[in-house]
Amino acid sequence: MEQEIDLRPYVNALLRYWWAIILSGLIIGVVAVLYTSLKEPGYRATTIVAFLEPTQSVQFDTRFETVPSKTTILKSLPSLSMSDDVMTQLLADIGDTNIETVTQLERHLSAESGSDLNLLYLRANSNDPELSARLVNQWAEIFIATANEIYASRGANQIEFYVQQVEDAGTRLTTAEQALIDFQGISRLTLVSNELASLTDLQAAYSDYSTSLTRLGEDIRAAKAQQTVLSGGAPGVAGDYTLLALQSRLVQLQQLELAPITIQIAVPSGAATSTQDQSQFLNSLEAAIAEIQPTVSEQLVVLEPQILALQREREALNNRANRLASDRELAMETYKTLSRKLDEERLTANDYSVGFRQVSRAAVPEAPVSSNRTLLALMGVVFGGVLASLIIILYTWWRK
């Protein structure tokens, strides 16, 4: 069976010693009031630091955009104000006081954000009213300088950083420009392009010449098939027209200057040439074509590797030139961008209408911080009564 807990002895004991509970509460309450009365008065000085947002933004280059989290920054301000760097600098600036360590200094200071996160309340407590005001005002000055350097880009380090970056970008730009100049001084790109264009035109001419020879051979075979002899040995009309067309094409080919290819065949004069003369002309022309075509094909074969080699060389030179030009353009763009950003930093560094400012300088407090004696007395009475009740309960349990 489960053992039951009997609370009646404890209740009876509390009722029996009620006077002790009340007496303990009164004694501790009186002690609390006496302590606050005899304690040396303390003074509190308060100042307000505000974060002023910019109404307009200086931005010469949209590729540089600062996007900090405003809420995160504002929530971190109390911690930043109590940081070791700020406390150490403040301790060095306050001079001859009884405060000798950062830990002692922190006991005199407190920081909290207001209902509006743009406001930060800094407070300093001291037995000396002038010291409390001096502490909080110097603290605000050091904190504002630190916060503006970190969050508002007002520090000299920021400008020095961009000055160095601009100088480095200028050096890279000069190097890229000189590399492009040096390449242009030894580049064979124009010569290769001209030579390639010449060989390409020559190849096109040989190719057209070969095509014309092929068609001329086909026309010769067609002319042989169309040869008709009328009575009396006169050639037919169709044969005359075909012969005239072949003669015209032959004259055009002879006018082309493609060494080492020439067609040395006499063109028959007149259209009323005998069938035998026409046949001899066609046979000699067909033999000349058969002799020339291998030479044309050989020239095309010789030109092909030369053209391919020049194409490779031209492409390599083009790639090299494009890469150097791209490096120069990139270096130029980087230099311009960093120069604009440096101008932005120089303008914003001198703009004191934004960032952190002390909007309320602390005055020397005239009256000490008053303590609520009534509340302290009530808290002492409650604490004394609870403590006495706990002792009575423990004593009753021990006796039982």
Side-chain angles (χ1 to χ4, degrees):
M1 296 179 60
E2 296 182 359
Q3 185 178 1
E4 296 182 357
I5 299 176
D6 189 3
L7 298 178
R8 285 178 295 178
Y10 302 103
V11 175
N12 292 332
L14 292 174
L15 294 176
R16 186 182 307 118
Y17 296 104
W18 61 269
W19 55 271
I21 298 173
I22 295 176
L23 182 61
S24 299
L26 292 175
I27 292 174
I28 296 180
V30 171
V31 171
V33 172
L34 290 176
Y35 173 77
T36 56
S37 300
L38 298 176
K39 183 182 178 182
E40 187 177 357
Y43 296 87
R44 175 182 296 170
T46 302
T47 186
I48 302 176
V49 175
F51 175 68
L52 304 180
E53 300 183 45
T55 57
Q56 58 184 1
S57 177
V58 178
Q59 193 170 12
F60 295 145
D61 198 315
T62 57
R63 285 167 295 186
F64 277 88
E65 185 175 0
T66 304
V67 286
S69 174
K70 175 188 172 184
T71 303
T72 303
I73 292 175
L74 297 179
K75 286 184 177 180
S76 67
L77 296 183
S79 299
L80 177 62
S81 65
M82 299 293 294
S83 64
D84 290 343
D85 290 341
V86 175
M87 293 293 101
T88 302
Q89 187 174 350
L90 177 59
L91 182 63
D93 290 349
I94 57 177
D96 186 15
T97 62
N98 294 327
I99 304 173
E100 298 179 353
T101 64
V102 172
T103 303
Q104 293 178 353
L105 178 61
E106 290 176 346
R107 295 172 184 168
H108 293 268
L109 306 176
S110 63
E112 64 176 354
S113 300
S115 56
D116 183 355
L117 291 178
N118 287 337
L119 299 179
L120 177 67
Y121 293 87
L122 303 180
R123 297 184 176 91
N125 299 294
S126 176
N127 297 328
D128 183 359
E130 294 184 357
L131 178 60
S132 64
R134 184 160 63 93
L135 267 178
V136 76
N137 287 325
Q138 288 183 337
W139 183 22
E141 292 174 0
I142 295 172
F143 165 73
I144 289 172
T146 303
N148 282 330
E149 181 176 355
I150 296 174
Y151 298 120
S153 301
R154 290 229 191 115
N157 293 335
Q158 189 80 356
I159 295 179
E160 292 176 359
F161 168 77
Y162 281 110
V163 168
Q164 184 62 43
Q165 293 299 314
V166 170
E167 292 178 356
D168 294 343
T171 302
R172 290 193 296 269
L173 176 59
T174 302
T175 302
E177 289 176 340
Q178 188 61 45
L180 183 58
I181 292 172
D182 294 341
F183 173 77
Q184 294 292 352
I186 61 174
S187 174
R188 296 182 63 252
L189 181 58
T190 303
L191 300 177
V192 170
S193 298
N194 293 338
E195 187 176 355
L196 178 60
S198 177
L199 290 183
T200 302
D201 293 341
L202 183 59
Q203 183 194 41
Y206 276 121
S207 180
D208 292 342
Y209 197 90
S210 177
T211 302
S212 299
L213 290 177
T214 301
R215 293 178 179 175
L216 182 59
E218 294 174 354
D219 292 343
I220 292 172
R221 289 188 292 272
K224 286 183 177 182
Q226 292 177 359
Q227 278 187 345
T228 59
V229 180
L230 299 177
S231 59
V237 177
D240 291 339
Y241 285 131
T242 302
L243 183 61
L244 290 175
L246 291 175
Q247 291 175 355
S248 176
R249 183 168 294 179
L250 178 60
V251 171
Q252 293 176 357
L253 289 176
Q254 289 177 334
Q255 292 175 351
L256 295 177
E257 296 180 358
L258 291 178
I261 299 172
T262 56
I263 300 179
Q264 300 294 337
I265 298 177
V267 180
S269 58
T273 311
S274 66
T275 302
Q276 185 178 1
D277 292 337
Q278 291 180 2
S279 179
Q280 291 177 354
F281 171 72
L282 293 175
N283 290 334
S284 60
L285 185 57
E286 188 175 20
I289 291 174
E291 182 181 354
I292 292 174
Q293 278 183 330
T295 304
V296 175
S297 300
E298 181 181 351
Q299 292 298 320
L300 290 174
V301 171
V302 171
L303 289 174
E304 182 176 356
Q306 296 178 4
I307 292 175
L308 293 177
L310 289 174
Q311 287 180 162
R312 284 194 298 269
E313 185 177 0
R314 184 187 64 176
E315 192 63 25
L317 292 172
N318 268 328
N319 291 338
R320 177 62 176 165
N322 292 336
R323 186 163 57 249
L324 291 174
S326 178
D327 291 343
R328 182 192 61 182
E329 294 300 324
L330 179 60
M332 176 65 74
E333 192 63 27
T334 303
Y335 179 78
K336 290 180 179 178
T337 301
L338 289 172
S339 298
R340 296 188 189 105
K341 187 59 181 178
L342 177 59
D343 292 338
E344 290 180 19
E345 291 298 326
R346 284 172 173 166
L347 288 175
T348 55
N350 297 321
D351 185 7
Y352 292 94
S353 63
V354 298
F356 297 91
R357 292 180 61 185
Q358 185 179 10
V359 296
S360 175
R361 188 173 180 83
V364 177
E366 299 178 355
V369 179
S370 61
S371 58
N372 194 333
R373 297 182 180 181
T374 303
L375 179 60
L376 289 175
L378 289 176
M379 292 177 61
V381 170
V382 172
F383 178 74
V386 172
L387 180 61
S389 299
L390 182 60
I391 293 174
I392 292 171
I393 291 172
L394 291 176
Y395 176 73
T396 303
W397 172 81
W398 178 75
R399 290 188 61 187
K400 185 178 177 180

